Amino acid sequence: MTARMLSIVREVARTASAASTNVLVNTAAGGAAPARTVTGVSYLLTDLWTERHGSGSYRSLVLRYVNPDGFSMLELHLGVTPFAGRHDHENIKTWLLQQLSRFGVRPQDVSSSTTDSGSNVKKALRQLWPRWIPCAAHAIHLAVKSALGATGQTSTARDSRPGAAASSRPGSRNPAASRLLRRTRKTTAHFHKSPASVAMLNAVPLPGDNGARKLLTESPTRWGSTYLSLARRFTLVPRLVGFGRLRNLSAAQERRCIERADWEPVRHLIGVLQPSYESSMELQNASATVAEAFELVCRLQRTMQVPSYPCPIDHTEPLAVGRDAILAFLDADKGGTDVMELDGRLYEHEQVSVNRTRTATSMCSEAATVVSVLQEELDKRFFNEMDNTKNWLMNDADLAATLVTPGGGSILKKVANRRGQVDATDRARAAVRATTTHFLDDRPAARSRRGELESERKRCRTSLIGWDSEESRGTCDDTPGGLAMRELDRFLMTVVPDDNDGALGFWGARRDDYPLLHIVACSLLGASGSSSASERDFSVAGLVLREDRSTPLP
């Protein structure tokens, strides 16, 4: 039975090694790819991209799985293809099944899917595969947008209303931050469109940091772009101040000069947005498992409940610039200065309290509101007791993968206790058992007569039952699934070393100790907590589809 389970997943691994990992962009009507056979449990990632200034829509498709031989994460990129018709769940289902069939993938070969929380795509995927995982990075991105006062209203619609310039967006949960970001975006847009202003900005001397740089623009769909834009703005504050003091500025340049009142909110926003940015970047790791995504979400949720955050202190120049200089400073400083790195530059930082206190610096209203809204948004999107699709403690794919991760059982209990929800361990066990049933013929393995007699003799010599069993000693589950679950019980009692190499490294080193469970773990850990692989495909496809690309080759 172990050989059968191994052959299933190895067939997927052989397909991955034989297939090209380059993104395949099919824009021609008859450009069908050669069929490839993929048999076994895979995990599907998909996303939809619509042209910003056009009507074209494209979908990407990625399969993930763990190679049982080396316990390494593998991705098979099935391509980016045009998506025609309405974006309703029936069309999405039809497209998915057609694309999978082109590569010889059957619906039963897919164990779970990961995508954003769009209602149509969620409905389509859950009808095909009940185990559906919402993209954690996308959920965090939406939570951050809401905390920063976004309403989904376009600037054109806002500016078309009378008195729009003096009012904040309707329905904004953080109007002060919304107004601040509106001002910073206009400044960034000015420098983005004016090479003359950029040249004047870079001509302003900045001791120790004379490299030419420009402000970063935000992208509504790019995870963490607001944090990166604010961090770059903070590191350029001395130059922006010097730019405002230059003579002979045009009226447009004078309107875009930095206001001193904006310095404090910007550095506070950097402090409270950094945990979300770090989480989004970690979630884009190609080898990250859904269990690691779950742990990362829990860490972020806990971080957003601390009473104070480290925020950079406004300095005229950074302490160090570049990797080598930063390492040299840290070596010489020996931990004597509280520092943080922003955009490749080192700055001192201070702890800023969310609530007003007499002994610590208090946070501005824009940043304090971000903290409170983020707390609510993370609870609503990851631990929502009113909607099981938004409660990771009720997600079978996440629970099963977390349970077979070293230390995962403890994490499930602690998170459920902190959230005031029911312990999800039993549900996680049931999800693992269901996975073994998918692989195995759930009947006792055939044994020789002598083996049966030896087992009978062993039962005659003991009156003990299993530590968690409520049944008599006369019953014994010798099915492959039962044996795997007994290995799971033994695994959950194992003390996990602090320096373990993660879930994949753990199972790769202990496959002989758990001959059945390590294959089950291999099949479960392929699930992803982020659809970032699809986003990367879109980035590559966007370059290929550009009409002004420098070469006709993809």
Side-chain angles (χ1 to χ4, degrees):
M1 60 192 162
T2 303
R4 179 181 173 225
M5 297 171 74
L6 280 169
S7 64
I8 288 175
V9 185
R10 280 176 178 150
E11 178 62 28
V12 179
R14 283 194 294 271
T15 303
S17 61
S20 171
T21 57
N22 294 329
V23 178
L24 176 65
V25 182
N26 298 305
T27 56
R36 304 184 181 105
T37 301
V38 179
T39 305
V41 173
S42 305
Y43 296 86
L44 182 144
L45 289 76
T46 184
D47 205 349
L48 176 69
W49 172 60
T50 303
E51 293 177 341
R52 186 174 183 182
H53 301 294
S55 58
S57 296
Y58 302 87
R59 289 208 73 94
S60 71
L61 208 57
V62 180
L63 292 181
R64 273 180 35 131
Y65 28 78
V66 175
N67 185 348
D69 293 326
F71 260 84
S72 57
M73 194 73 71
L74 299 176
E75 288 184 351
L76 177 59
H77 295 258
L78 303 187
V80 177
T81 58
F83 183 84
R86 298 181 59 186
H87 297 175
D88 57 45
H89 73 282
E90 289 296 342
N91 276 346
I92 294 173
K93 283 172 57 178
T94 301
W95 179 87
L96 283 171
L97 294 176
Q98 288 175 347
Q99 295 303 312
L100 290 175
S101 66
R102 293 173 59 221
F103 290 85
V105 183
R106 303 167 301 172
Q108 58 266 35
D109 295 329
V110 178
S111 179
S112 71
S113 59
T114 302
T115 186
D116 60 36
S117 299
S119 58
N120 289 339
V121 68
K122 179 171 71 173
K123 183 176 181 180
L125 292 173
R126 295 195 72 204
Q127 287 183 359
L128 291 172
W129 305 285
R131 289 188 178 182
W132 170 78
I133 304 170
C135 174
H138 183 74
I140 292 173
H141 176 68
L142 294 179
V144 170
K145 288 182 63 177
S146 179
L148 290 173
T151 62
Q153 183 185 28
T154 64
S155 59
T156 303
R158 182 181 67 251
D159 294 340
S160 65
R161 294 182 295 107
S167 62
S168 62
R169 299 180 186 181
S172 173
R173 302 182 66 182
N174 194 348
S178 178
R179 290 191 294 268
L180 171 65
L181 292 177
R182 200 179 308 163
R183 292 194 298 271
T184 62
R185 287 164 184 158
K186 288 181 178 180
T187 300
T188 302
H190 168 78
F191 283 97
H192 183 70
K193 297 176 181 179
S194 174
S197 294
V198 173
M200 294 170 64
L201 178 67
N202 286 321
V204 176
L206 181 57
D209 189 11
N210 291 320
R213 293 186 298 150
K214 62 181 181 180
L215 296 172
L216 295 179
T217 58
E218 298 177 58
S219 173
T221 58
R222 187 176 301 162
W223 304 331
S225 64
T226 300
Y227 169 82
L228 291 175
S229 177
L230 291 175
R232 174 62 62 85
R233 184 183 182 87
F234 178 85
T235 63
L236 287 175
V237 163
R239 279 186 174 170
L240 289 169
V241 173
F243 176 85
R245 294 172 180 170
L246 295 177
R247 298 181 179 180
N248 301 323
L249 292 178
S250 67
Q253 291 172 333
E254 289 180 351
R255 285 197 303 269
R256 300 306 170 216
C257 290
I258 187 172
E259 300 179 13
R260 189 174 185 86
D262 291 340
W263 295 1
E264 198 79 350
V266 166
R267 76 183 189 94
H268 289 176
L269 285 176
I270 290 173
V272 299
L273 291 178
Q274 186 173 11
S276 300
Y277 171 76
E278 292 179 13
S279 300
S280 297
M281 294 302 103
E282 287 290 334
L283 288 167
Q284 296 182 49
N285 188 337
S287 62
T289 67
V290 67
E292 292 169 340
F294 176 72
E295 181 183 3
L296 197 61
V297 167
C298 295
R299 290 175 57 193
L300 175 60
Q301 196 267 345
R302 290 274 290 172
T303 302
M304 298 314 301
Q305 294 178 341
V306 298
S308 62
Y309 294 84
C311 299
I313 299 176
D314 189 15
H315 273 290
T316 56
E317 61 183 76
L319 300 174
V321 179
R323 179 179 181 273
D324 293 339
I326 290 175
L327 293 177
F329 177 89
L330 295 176
D331 181 51
D333 186 65
K334 302 187 184 302
T337 307
D338 293 330
V339 292
M340 66 188 304
E341 183 177 341
L342 295 175
D343 198 23
R345 286 144 180 84
L346 208 61
Y347 295 90
E348 284 191 64
H349 75 76
E350 62 176 349
Q351 289 294 129
V352 179
S353 176
V354 177
N355 301 314
R356 292 188 177 277
T357 63
R358 295 181 178 179
T359 58
T361 305
S362 299
M363 193 169 287
C364 66
S365 61
E366 295 92 335
T369 304
V370 167
V371 173
S372 62
V373 175
L374 260 181
Q375 292 173 353
E376 297 175 10
E377 288 291 320
L378 292 175
D379 290 346
K380 181 177 70 175
R381 297 178 185 277
F382 293 102
F383 302 103
N384 192 335
E385 296 185 66
M386 305 301 294
D387 185 352
N388 287 346
T389 64
K390 297 181 180 180
N391 187 351
W392 282 44
L393 289 174
M394 299 294 287
N395 188 302
D396 287 347
D398 167 57
L399 294 176
T402 301
L403 193 65
V404 298
T405 297
S410 175
I411 292 176
L412 290 178
K413 292 180 180 179
K414 290 180 180 179
V415 173
N417 182 58
R418 289 169 179 169
R419 304 299 311 166
Q421 298 188 28
V422 178
D423 186 359
T425 304
D426 289 342
R427 187 182 179 104
R429 287 178 58 86
V432 174
R433 185 69 164 90
T435 302
T436 65
T437 304
H438 176 86
F439 277 115
L440 305 173
D441 182 3
D442 212 15
R443 293 175 296 181
R447 294 184 295 177
S448 65
R449 179 58 179 166
R450 182 175 181 82
E452 293 177 353
L453 294 175
E454 289 290 350
S455 297
E456 183 65 23
R457 182 189 179 204
K458 184 176 181 180
R459 285 195 293 270
C460 293
R461 295 170 63 184
T462 183
S463 60
L464 294 174
I465 62 175
W467 67 272
D468 62 343
S469 176
E470 296 180 358
E471 301 176 355
S472 67
R473 70 184 183 95
T475 60
C476 182
D477 186 1
D478 286 334
T479 64
L483 296 174
M485 296 308 289
R486 270 183 261 174
E487 290 184 9
L488 176 64
D489 291 333
R490 182 157 50 88
F491 162 72
L492 293 176
M493 298 177 67
T494 303
V495 178
V496 181
D498 295 334
D499 58 345
N500 73 88
D501 297 330
L504 296 181
F506 176 91
W507 288 110
R510 291 167 175 79
R511 64 179 66 202
D512 294 336
D513 297 336
Y514 305 95
L516 281 177
L517 187 62
H518 94 275
I519 302 299
V520 177
C522 175
S523 67
L524 290 170
L525 293 174
S528 175
S530 167
S531 60
S532 58
S534 288
E535 299 291 345
R536 287 192 289 270
D537 281 0
F538 286 140
S539 297
V540 176
L543 298 177
V544 175
L545 294 172
R546 288 181 58 182
E547 296 181 357
D548 59 344
R549 63 181 185 269
S550 60
T551 173
L553 298 178

